[in-house]
Amino acid sequence: MDNLNYGIIGNCRSAALISKEGSIDWCCLPQFDSASVFAKLLDEKKGGSFEILTGDNYKIDQQYHKNTAILVTRYADGENVFEVHDFMPRHHKMNGKYMAPPEIVRYIKYVSGSPKVQFKYNPKLEYAVGETELYIKEDFIASLTHESKYDTLFLYTSFNKKHILEQKETTLKEDGYFLICYHEKILKPTTQKIALELERTKVYWLDWVDKTPTYKKFKDQIIRSAITLKMLTYDKTGAVLAAATTSLPETIGEVRNWDYRFCWIRDASMAIKVVSELGHKNSAKRFLQFIIDLMPDKDEKLQIMYGINKEKKLTEISLDHLDGYKGSKPVRVGNAAYMQKQNDIYGILMDVIYEQLRNFSNDLENGEELWNITKGIVWIVGKHWKEPDKGIWEFRGEDRHFTFSKVLCWVAIDRAIKVAKMFGKTRKLERWTALEQEIKEDIHKNAWNNDINAFVQSYGSRHLDASVLLMEPYGFIHARDPKYVSTVKAIEDGLSNDGLLYRYKNEDDFGLPSSSFTICTFWFINALFKIGEEEKALEYFERLLGYSNHLGLFSEDIDFKTKRLLGNFPQAYSHLALIECAINFSNKQKDERILESIG
């Protein structure tokens, strides 16, 4: 089946996607949101790639070097065997900072025999808008474009440069390398130096994983998802990307194609909460500083998303010269959703602030700034919670009173009260408690539909929505509350398709949704688990894990019929929810379940 069978490599500065056959089909340099240098993913003819070509009789296998972000593709034809170890360098420097240059390393490891291979090096700079010219220089192959914008790329290699550009067959007898650099190197690389970069990068990831707790069940899936979330963080500012790609469609041939190489406050906050639970407090601290830096004024409202370098304007344009993934146009760069109003982000953010204070209270230097943000959030929520918005799914039509947004307004005040108690600030508690109660009563009154016997998508609606499943994890309602149990049952009946969930089934700005939103299925599994249907939840979870690609990676969506991965990839949202589910299954002891049931 045609699928998103890609591995991701990255170094918290940028990332690349490498196909199951070993072709680099997507990479933007020097950082995540730069123009692409390889984009075959979005146009098979024009996009550009770096392919490893062997005879049809070669068997190709691919896996990650255990507990790292180093991708190993193995090519074998009888005794003729070699491997390609792909990675983006990342390791500690002597001053305690990280070495993470805008580079891709392809270390060619000779194993046995006389393997024959062709290297097809075909970069297309600046989203392939104009021609990219290649020149052989003494130390490297230079790629150059200057039609839409001047840009360059450098390829260093131990192989014959002329043979590479002519795609001549090479017989391997020893290890070699390719080093794709955004900047020209001062010191010329060697195979020995590149091998050292490989080992240093391996050590970095092994050390990082060693700081992650081990769990009884689904350990490998938790670690792979955690590494993927780490690769989607941008070290320079602390931002967390929603995904590494743009314009991979929710449905093949349709127009739900968006650029996800930005930091959504909601997605990033949820990811950071999970990463914190795994003990990686530096990522959490950097993200908090990212938020603090974005809120200079006490009355400044948060956007729902920002550029990874804190850009506030994310103008959306279409790259009409690209055909799109499997012909799915348009290819978009930028995202017009940055202008939308979504009231839930304040609750999401307050929840993260509360969790950081709870987990790392002795190690936060910015307590006064966080208290200032807390007061500002309460003021904004108090002033605006009764207003409609676009909701979590970013409906581009008219604003509505979405249940999820209202619940997260309640979360904002609930967590602010908890933070106030932590800081010993009791002066505002009476007023804040009254506001919390007012929002809660409003939700119970207006979001509950007696006919459907469930909380619904928006006030006065009859539509179900998977986002209301989060009422329990955020503490708005107890898992065994009859209203929550019946909501889960209604969503199972109305939104589940063989264990895969729709976000919603009502028509939106682009018609009826036709694929499953992966995170919603994880939410549903968690909800079943919480209401006591643990065997069914585990069955659905194990089945869902089987829909990942060959490396255990998930995109945003899954096709209901074919189970093909769809949408941007890999998706931070999907992997953070996977971790939450896996931890639930791993941690819950039998006596805890009995006590919860009694409670």
Side-chain angles (χ1 to χ4, degrees), residues 362-542:
N362 298 325
D363 196 24
L364 279 175
E365 309 128 15
N366 43 24
E368 291 177 359
E369 289 172 293
L370 293 177
W371 175 236
N372 197 49
I373 290 174
T374 298
K375 291 188 295 181
I377 286 176
V378 174
W379 189 88
I380 290 170
V381 171
K383 189 176 180 182
H384 298 288
W385 75 270
K386 293 182 180 180
E387 298 170 2
D389 69 347
K390 297 296 185 190
I392 182 175
W393 306 127
E394 298 174 2
F395 287 95
R396 294 193 173 192
E398 65 178 51
D399 292 0
R400 289 182 242 166
H401 293 279
F402 287 100
T403 300
F404 181 78
S405 295
K406 303 296 185 187
V407 170
L408 268 294
C409 285
W410 173 87
V411 170
I413 308 305
D414 176 77
R415 303 309 192 263
I417 290 168
K418 290 178 168 68
V419 168
K421 290 176 179 176
M422 283 180 171
F423 285 135
K425 301 288 187 180
T426 57
R427 184 168 55 88
K428 301 175 183 288
L429 281 183
E430 186 175 344
R431 191 165 76 247
W432 289 5
T433 302
L435 176 59
E436 177 195 31
Q437 194 59 34
E438 182 186 0
I439 298 172
K440 189 165 195 172
E441 289 172 1
D442 188 75
I443 294 167
H444 277 285
K445 178 183 176 183
N446 294 300
W448 178 259
N449 186 305
N450 277 319
D451 295 337
I452 298 171
N453 207 25
F455 290 104
V456 288
Q457 185 179 74
S458 58
Y459 286 8
S461 165
R462 294 181 60 86
H463 300 302
L464 295 166
D465 192 303
S467 65
V468 303
L469 294 170
L470 295 181
M471 294 172 118
E472 186 276 333
Y474 278 113
F476 181 84
I477 194 169
H478 193 275
R480 302 306 169 94
D481 187 301
K483 290 175 83 171
Y484 185 72
V485 174
S486 64
T487 297
V488 175
K489 295 290 189 182
I491 285 174
E492 182 174 18
D493 291 340
L495 296 183
S496 176
N497 181 336
D498 193 28
L500 294 175
L501 245 68
Y502 289 91
R503 286 178 286 181
Y504 47 84
K505 272 191 176 177
N506 47 304
E507 191 166 337
D508 59 21
D509 318 284
F510 302 98
L512 292 170
S514 57
S515 59
S516 171
F517 207 65
T518 308
I519 194 172
C520 295
T521 303
F522 283 120
W523 290 345
F524 172 58
I525 290 166
N526 262 338
L528 286 175
F529 185 84
K530 294 289 187 66
I531 67 172
E533 297 196 16
E534 294 169 18
E535 287 186 12
K536 183 192 286 186
L538 183 59
E539 178 189 336
Y540 280 150
F541 183 62
E542 289 177 335

Side-chain angles (χ1 to χ4, degrees), residues 49-111:
S49 61
F50 185 178
E51 301 177 36
I52 308 291
L53 303 175
T54 58
D56 293 340
N57 47 339
Y58 275 79
K59 182 186 177 187
I60 306 174
D61 293 304
Q62 192 176 63
Q63 61 185 7
Y64 282 102
H65 189 286
K66 189 173 177 62
N67 293 349
T68 76
I70 298 166
L71 188 63
V72 181
T73 310
R74 185 178 178 89
Y75 302 80
D77 172 22
E79 65 172 14
N80 305 311
V81 182
F82 71 100
E83 296 174 345
V84 180
H85 294 240
D86 284 306
F87 65 98
M88 298 184 80
R90 181 172 173 82
H91 51 80
H92 292 281
K93 295 197 289 189
M94 295 295 287
N95 61 7
K97 295 185 178 180
Y98 295 104
M99 184 75 174
E103 299 173 359
I104 300 173
V105 173
R106 314 205 77 177
Y107 188 80
I108 312 298
K109 184 177 177 60
Y110 169 76
V111 178

Side-chain angles (χ1 to χ4, degrees), residues 233-240 263 268 272 283 286-288 290 308:
T233 63
Y234 182 55
D235 258 3
K236 183 179 175 183
T237 61
V240 181
C263 183
I272 286 298
S283 296
R286 279 197 296 272
F287 177 69
L288 274 184
F290 178 79
I308 59 174

